[in-house]
Amino acid sequence: MKKNRIITVIVGFCVCLLMTPLIRFPVGADAIWSPHGDHFYAEHWMECEYAGGRYYQANGEAGSITMWRFPNSLRKIAEYENGTEFKVVWLYTDENNIIWTVIEDYVEETVLGETQREYFSGWIRMSDLLLVYDHISFVEEHEKSLTPFSGSIDLESLDQYIYWAYPGSEKINETWLEYNMPL
């Protein structure tokens, strides 16, 4: 009797092991940009912090900023005039507590009538950048005066609405939020 129970448990365990590849476990993933071919990032990615993907403008004291090969490098990659916008995704803090961000850019060239892009990445000091005012800035500034919207929007007539980045913005967004997101 005891032998039958042990054999039953072993057979049940083996069946479970055989069934494991057939069982589908729910898995979720999100794609977050990371620089391709940046050796410094590849070596230090665990020390980098996700910054959320907000936009910043070049704001150097001399009217421009420098992109470096890696933080505290002596090798300049590119220079950008003030006002140039960058999407900041990853932050790295060096041993001197200077915060850097990795940026990807490209050089465009036309060869035999075909446009080709060569991508490169480099590092910029966050102190040389100025946050572009956006919907997050608006919410932070006006959080206490905002109230939840309790009405409804006719999804059939979305083309009659204009979706602004935030109230008072000069930027009209090209796409609507997903239908299931609260407005």
Side-chain angles (χ1 to χ4, degrees), residues 6-104:
I6 292 173
I7 291 174
T8 303
V9 169
I10 291 173
V11 169
F13 181 72
C14 290
V15 168
C16 288
L17 283 176
L18 291 172
M19 294 293 289
T20 302
L22 302 176
I23 298 172
R24 303 238 187 254
F25 296 102
V27 176
D30 190 7
I32 298 175
W33 172 85
S34 61
H36 177 72
D38 188 288
H39 298 294
F40 184 87
Y41 178 82
E43 290 177 18
H44 298 273
W45 68 272
M46 287 294 290
E47 300 162 49
C48 293
E49 177 185 339
Y50 179 65
R54 293 177 79 182
Y55 286 89
Y56 289 75
Q57 284 185 343
N59 189 39
E61 288 182 22
S64 65
I65 64 169
T66 302
M67 176 189 282
W68 301 94
R69 183 71 191 123
F70 53 85
N72 299 313
S73 170
L74 297 176
R75 184 172 169 216
K76 292 181 182 181
I77 300 293
E79 296 246 349
Y80 298 95
E81 293 182 16
N82 282 356
T84 306
E85 283 195 10
F86 302 96
K87 185 174 185 179
V88 172
V89 179
W90 295 106
L91 300 176
Y92 171 79
T93 304
D94 69 14
E95 62 278 355
N96 300 316
N97 282 331
I98 296 172
I99 302 171
W100 298 79
T101 185
V102 61
I103 301 294
E104 188 171 74

Side-chain angles (χ1 to χ4, degrees), residues 135-168:
H135 65 286
I136 297 170
S137 305
F138 182 86
V139 170
E140 290 169 351
E141 187 177 331
H142 299 282
E143 188 171 18
K144 291 183 175 138
S145 62
L146 296 175
T147 56
F149 175 73
S150 59
S152 64
I153 293 178
D154 178 16
L155 298 179
E156 299 294 322
S157 60
L158 282 180
D159 60 340
Q160 296 176 16
Y161 295 96
I162 298 175
Y163 174 49
W164 299 90
Y166 55 86

